[in-house]
Amino acid sequence: MTANVSSVQPASSTPSPLHAVVADDFDAVNRTIVAQLNSKVPLVETIGQYITESGGKRLRPLLALLAARSLGYTGDKHIPLATLIEFMHTSTLLHDDVVDESHMRRGKKTANDAWGNAPSVLVGDFLYARSFQMMVDVGSMRIMAILSGATCVIAEGEVQQLTNIGNPSVSEDDYFDTILGKTAMLFEAASHSGAVLAEATPDQEQALQHYGRYLGLAFQLIDDLLDYQGDAEAMGKNVGDDLAEGKPTLPLIRAMEQGTPEQAKLIRQVIRQGGLEQLDAVLDIVHATGALTYTRTRAEEMADKALSQLDALPPSPYRDTMAELARLAVDRQT
């Protein structure tokens, strides 16, 4: 399958106010992204540019920049570090959309929908390979160990999520293990590697590692919450997508625990079968059982834990921005 590229206009990734404190660094990252997408194969550049310019928040590279700058880093290696982290994330998006058979991301066609599964997977492989080339250029064995280890954990998290589909017996602990791998690990690796680059003290390094972990958990919890009460147009995906795929996320897990036997039976059936035929009934149950409120409370707990880690850092606009990011993680609608 091929796409009429001239009819596909990718949205630019406009920095948010959160990027203001590292605006120059972020501009340098964007330039580096363009430069590192260079390939002798035109389709690699086309798909790579399409997915990297599709309106994402670029929070993971932002974390690497903020972590390094918060500890007074004055070198230039944080630019390729942030870039390669964005490439790692983009690669997972390409692969995830193929696995999930997704047709929309951020309000636009997915790459697999536009060009087909095979090109999407292979360009994802290219971005992973390019990210490891850039790790060598950063020149830190510790950072390479952090990021290569994170890659394995992320892959395991994605496989675990796949095996969880259609399984209504997934526990809350199982769920947290899965989202730690598939989402929070790259947040953690971004802030952790930024700290290592800046030669943090052991306490500061651990604090920034844990900050990224808890922030990533908060983000994923809110993502899973919004699947049952979000605005489809604002999110760029359909409400109920997780339900349609039979994913047992925390709102459903909690609803089964707190609901009546009949309510729990209905949700178990929907998880096993997937689809949206029972969407309205499931929405009624997750609201009636307080499952969405519970999910938000857990997200707020994670955000508070992230905030507490910042006490290990010296006061700075970078630390302030990381604090604001933790607060926004649970207040957002997209």
Side-chain angles (χ1 to χ4, degrees):
M1 180 187 297
T2 59
N4 181 355
V5 178
S6 63
S7 67
V8 181
Q9 297 297 325
S12 60
S13 295
T14 303
S16 74
L18 291 168
H19 297 77
V21 71
V22 287
D24 291 343
D25 289 341
F26 198 72
D27 286 343
V29 169
N30 285 333
R31 291 193 298 271
T32 306
I33 286 173
V34 173
Q36 291 294 330
L37 282 173
N38 178 60
S39 170
K40 64 183 180 181
V41 181
L43 187 58
V44 170
E45 291 188 4
T46 299
I47 296 178
Q49 182 179 11
Y50 180 76
I51 188 71
T52 57
E53 293 186 353
S54 61
K57 301 178 184 73
R58 293 194 178 159
L59 294 178
R60 296 152 190 82
L62 176 62
L63 284 183
L65 297 175
L66 290 172
R69 290 298 200 187
S70 72
L71 296 173
Y73 182 72
T74 58
D76 59 7
K77 296 294 187 181
H78 61 315
I79 303 302
L81 175 62
T83 304
L84 73 89
I85 287 169
E86 178 66 7
F87 278 7
M88 290 175 66
H89 176 56
T90 303
S91 177
T92 65
L93 298 184
L94 285 164
H95 290 163
D96 288 354
D97 285 342
V98 171
V99 171
D100 295 341
E101 299 180 359
S102 299
H103 301 288
M104 179 183 292
R105 180 179 288 277
R106 300 165 184 161
K108 300 179 65 63
K109 272 187 167 185
T110 56
N112 53 293
D113 194 64
W115 286 276
N117 288 342
S120 295
V121 170
L122 295 173
V123 172
D125 292 345
F126 169 85
L127 292 175
Y128 253 135
R130 181 53 54 86
S131 72
F132 275 84
Q133 282 184 321
M134 297 179 71
M135 280 184 219
V136 175
D137 293 338
V138 170
S140 167
M141 286 299 295
R142 283 210 62 215
I143 289 176
M144 185 173 287
I146 290 167
L147 294 174
S148 59
T151 301
C152 292
V153 174
I154 292 165
E156 288 173 337
E158 294 290 354
V159 174
Q160 186 60 57
Q161 177 176 257
L162 188 64
T163 61
N164 288 347
I165 289 176
N167 179 10
S169 299
V170 172
S171 69
E172 184 170 326
D173 286 343
D174 294 335
Y175 164 81
F176 271 96
D177 285 342
T178 300
I179 67 171
L180 175 62
K182 71 175 287 288
T183 299
M185 182 51 61
L186 192 52
F187 278 79
E188 175 179 325
S191 55
H192 190 191
S193 58
V196 170
L197 185 66
E199 299 181 349
T201 67
D203 286 346
Q204 290 170 333
E205 180 183 327
Q206 183 180 69
L208 279 168
Q209 177 184 1
H210 290 168
Y211 167 82
R213 178 186 304 178
Y214 293 130
L215 181 68
L217 290 171
F219 262 89
Q220 187 59 55
L221 282 160
I222 294 298
D223 273 355
D224 293 343
L225 167 69
L226 290 175
D227 197 64
Y228 292 95
Q229 68 173 32
D231 182 305
E233 184 175 352
M235 290 191 299
K237 68 171 191 174
N238 296 317
V239 173
D241 277 355
D242 289 347
L243 184 69
E245 295 171 19
K247 291 181 179 177
T249 57
L250 188 57
L252 296 185
I253 294 169
R254 182 67 174 179
M256 286 188 287
E257 291 176 349
Q258 297 298 308
T260 66
E262 292 77 15
Q263 289 172 327
K265 180 179 179 180
L266 174 62
I267 292 178
R268 285 196 298 270
Q269 178 183 344
V270 172
I271 290 174
R272 289 192 185 101
Q273 296 178 351
L276 294 174
E277 292 80 5
Q278 299 290 338
L279 176 60
D280 289 341
V282 171
L283 289 175
D284 288 342
I285 294 170
V286 296
H287 281 93
T289 57
L292 298 183
T293 299
Y294 177 77
T295 301
R296 180 171 293 280
T297 298
R298 295 308 311 272
E300 290 170 349
E301 290 174 5
M302 296 302 112
D304 287 342
K305 286 183 177 182
L307 279 168
S308 70
Q309 304 303 314
L310 299 179
D311 292 341
L313 306 182
S316 73
Y318 309 106
R319 188 182 76 171
D320 293 343
T321 299
M322 284 190 279
E324 181 66 12
L325 188 55
R327 288 187 286 267
L328 289 176
V330 293
D331 292 337
R332 64 198 173 92
Q333 296 300 316
T334 62

